[in-house]
Amino acid sequence: MPLEQVAIAQFNRGLVDPRALGRVDLKRIALSAERQTNWVPRSLGSMSLRPGLQYLATTRNNLKAKHIPFIFSSADTAIIEITSEGARVLVSEAAISRSGVSSAVTNGTFTTDLTGWTDADETGSSSLFVTGNYAGLTGTDYNAAILRQAVTVASTDASVEHTLNIVVERSTVTLKVGSSAGDDSYVGETNLATGYHSLAFTPTGNFTIELANRSLYTAYVDSVAVASSGDMLLTTPWGSSDLDYLRWDQSADVVFVACDGYQQRKFERRATKSWSLVKYETDDGPFRSLNTTSLTMTAGALTGNTTLTASRAYFVANHVGAIFRLASIGQKVSRIITAASQWSDPIKVQGSGTNPRRFVIDIAGTWVATVTLQRSKDDLSSFADAATYTINQAALNFDDALNNEIIYYRIGIDAGDYTSGTPTVTLTYSGGSRLGVGLITARTSSTVVDIAVLKPMGQTTATPDWEEGVWSTLRGFPTAITFYEGRLWWSGNDRIIGSVSDAFSSF
């Protein structure tokens, strides 16, 4: 068989697998190369030498760095430069920088008290100084604890970009910045999770900062300050020796980061020059296997900041930051009502006969209103009135006689039925169970820890049905991350865990 010698004048088809070189019947193989090192194929001509590199800038203080590409779209990109315990963001190949202004926040580090801040708490909520130099904000679920401060802007600084650097120590805080109290024209209402936030805006004059929290567990704010001139720098937990262990993936404006030995983090972009680095936290898992021992757990309260007590020694220092889920024996819900249209969580009543369906109603306090007990037969989509009360009730038994039906009950005050006061309403049912979740915030002893209740507990009695969170300083954190089929996947410590589809903090 005669051989055909083909002259190869160009390699603009790029690389090809060596196993394909025998396909002489394909003309494009003749224009392909098995290997190209430091060459670039041209679409209209022969290959050319790879272009040289250009010096742009040094890393921060010439430190070892890891660069994470941030790609929102082909025309909207940035580079996150991580060095030892700090991160800069480069946009258009230049680090985001801050302007120098004379505007300042009074007592932004909350030294000894909350001087300089105005308490605008809604009914039932509270803003308090917390030992350790924190502002503590505790809401009621319906009403918010609010702190405000009006910041004076010199005429020379009007229409000059300002930046607020805010550190949230615990939980999530809602931030507004506007020209007056309650206004958010400069920084639209946004939630700031536990971590470091650097938010840019341009005021035309004086501006007001508002910090708020509606949750029943206390949020801690560590500091609020107007940034000095210089590059934006986000505080990070990673040292130079950790940089090679960083793993990341991006969804829209959020870059999720894993690193061996550290709790997961998120870089969040709110605007081109407004960025945050926060802890990745969840309130519904993932959890380890259900307890199968005789050890029981007891929550000190249904909601808010309370304690978790083990029946024998269990807790160690590295449990701080872990979450625990308790399945109650029976159901109990309670709510302090401060206005109309406020309701307790529902209880689920089922079974047949008198005692299996009987639950207890308690109403206490000083108040003028009509308290209503409501029921739902269609899985909480709508409620109808079952009974009303205008005076306190102590251990009132209620039996609906709706045998073999599943009914949900809640208690509260309907629209138009509130006059004054703060009744405390409670429903207690011996049947069924509720799942409550608590985050350990401090350790008192091997049997007692402090918790923030992330999801209301179902009882304050001991239960053997509990689960510990998979991730903590004690149990370790994942070391790798990826998105796949709409889920966020974390891996490490012999586990691969995927989130709910399109709900990246839900398990």
Side-chain angles (χ1 to χ4, degrees), residues 11 35 44 95 98 116 132 168 186 271 304 326 373-374 394 434 471 473:
F11 294 94
R35 178 187 302 174
L44 298 178
R98 302 311 192 191
V168 179
Y186 294 141
L326 279 62
L373 177 71
Q374 291 188 333
R434 289 173 58 85
W471 300 320
T473 303

Side-chain angles (χ1 to χ4, degrees), residues 354-404:
T354 302
N355 290 334
R357 301 194 66 87
R358 179 181 295 168
F359 59 91
V360 177
I361 300 171
D362 287 283
I363 307 173
T366 302
W367 49 279
V368 178
T370 297
V371 174
T372 301
L373 177 71
Q374 291 188 333
R375 64 165 63 107
S376 172
K377 294 185 178 183
D378 48 6
D379 201 19
L380 309 179
S381 60
S382 62
F383 282 87
D385 294 352
T388 58
Y389 310 93
T390 56
I391 60 174
N392 286 338
Q393 304 292 325
L396 174 65
N397 289 321
F398 186 92
D399 194 318
D400 59 12
L402 299 173
N403 291 338
N404 298 315

Side-chain angles (χ1 to χ4, degrees), residues 59-60 62-66 82-84 240-244:
T59 62
R60 182 175 69 93
N62 287 318
L63 294 172
K64 176 183 176 181
K66 178 70 71 173
I82 303 177
T83 52
S84 179
S240 59
S241 61
D242 300 314
L243 299 184
D244 290 337

Side-chain angles (χ1 to χ4, degrees), residues 49-350:
L49 284 171
R50 174 185 60 79
L53 301 178
Q54 177 184 359
Y55 171 81
L56 297 176
T58 63
T59 62
R60 182 175 69 93
N61 298 331
N62 287 318
L63 294 172
K64 176 183 176 181
K66 178 70 71 173
H67 292 94
I68 297 178
F70 178 93
I71 304 173
F72 187 84
S73 69
S74 59
D76 188 0
T77 65
I79 296 175
I80 302 172
E81 178 198 272
I82 303 177
T83 52
S84 179
E85 299 181 350
R88 299 190 306 176
V89 177
L90 284 68
V91 177
S92 299
E93 302 176 348
I96 293 175
S97 61
R98 302 311 192 191
S99 303
V101 293
S102 60
S103 309
V105 176
T106 301
N107 190 25
T109 56
F110 308 105
T111 305
T112 70
D113 56 29
L114 300 183
T115 298
W117 295 86
T118 300
D119 181 336
D121 296 337
E122 295 173 349
T123 303
S125 59
S126 64
S127 300
L128 299 171
F129 170 77
V130 178
T131 302
N133 298 344
Y134 302 115
L137 304 171
T138 308
T140 69
D141 260 357
Y142 287 99
N143 293 337
I146 300 173
L147 285 176
R148 293 183 179 131
Q149 182 173 146
V151 177
T152 301
V153 176
S155 58
T156 54
D157 291 330
S159 299
V160 175
E161 183 180 82
H162 287 54
T163 300
L164 284 179
N165 289 340
I166 301 174
V167 179
V168 179
E169 178 67 17
R170 181 191 301 174
S171 187
T172 298
V173 174
T174 300
L175 172 73
K176 293 180 184 178
V177 181
S179 58
S180 59
D183 177 49
D184 66 349
S185 56
Y186 294 141
V187 177
E189 182 173 327
T190 186
N191 292 326
L192 307 182
T194 303
Y196 190 95
H197 309 268
S198 187
L199 310 177
F201 61 99
T202 303
T204 57
N206 299 343
F207 60 89
T208 298
I209 303 169
E210 178 178 298
L211 304 171
N213 176 39
R214 293 186 183 277
S215 67
L216 287 162
Y217 51 93
T218 306
Y220 287 8
V221 181
D222 179 84
S223 62
V224 182
V226 177
S228 302
S229 60
D231 292 345
M232 179 189 76
L233 185 67
L234 303 174
T235 302
T236 71
W238 310 296
S240 59
S241 61
D242 300 314
L243 299 184
D244 290 337
Y245 300 100
L246 293 174
R247 301 291 185 270
W248 60 86
D249 210 341
Q250 181 179 346
S251 174
D253 279 314
V254 181
V255 177
F256 297 82
V257 183
C259 183
D260 189 15
Y262 294 89
Q263 183 173 350
Q264 306 100 297
R265 295 301 200 274
K266 298 186 297 181
F267 284 98
E268 300 175 337
R269 184 187 71 164
R270 288 175 169 79
T272 301
K273 302 184 74 173
S274 295
W275 292 75
S276 302
L277 177 62
V278 301
K279 290 182 178 180
Y280 171 84
E281 297 177 316
T282 70
D283 63 4
D284 67 348
F287 294 99
R288 292 161 57 87
S289 299
L290 183 68
N291 172 55
T292 57
T293 72
S294 60
L295 190 150
T296 62
M297 294 284 183
T298 306
L302 301 178
T303 58
N305 305 287
T306 185
T307 59
L308 183 63
T309 302
S311 58
R312 62 174 181 268
Y314 183 79
F315 300 115
V316 297
N318 283 342
H319 266 124
V320 174
I323 59 175
F324 278 73
R325 182 165 67 185
L326 279 62
S328 63
I329 300 175
Q331 304 171 65
K332 184 177 183 179
V333 295
S334 187
R335 172 79 68 186
I336 299 175
I337 305 294
T338 60
S341 301
Q342 295 184 4
W343 301 92
S344 71
D345 289 331
I347 60 171
K348 181 180 179 181
V349 177
Q350 56 189 338

Side-chain angles (χ1 to χ4, degrees), residues 249-251 254 256 481-489 504:
D249 210 341
Q250 181 179 346
S251 174
V254 181
F256 297 82
I481 176 180
T482 191
F483 283 99
Y484 181 70
E485 293 189 344
R487 301 175 187 268
L488 177 61
W489 294 85
F504 304 139

Side-chain angles (χ1 to χ4, degrees), residues 459-501:
Q459 268 292 1
T460 54
T461 54
T463 176
D465 298 327
W466 56 269
E467 301 160 281
E468 180 181 342
V470 167
W471 300 320
S472 65
T473 303
L474 176 66
R475 305 298 180 185
F477 297 102
T479 57
I481 176 180
T482 191
F483 283 99
Y484 181 70
E485 293 189 344
R487 301 175 187 268
L488 177 61
W489 294 85
W490 300 96
S491 65
N493 297 324
D494 297 325
R495 294 176 183 269
I496 300 176
I497 300 172
S499 72
V500 173
S501 294

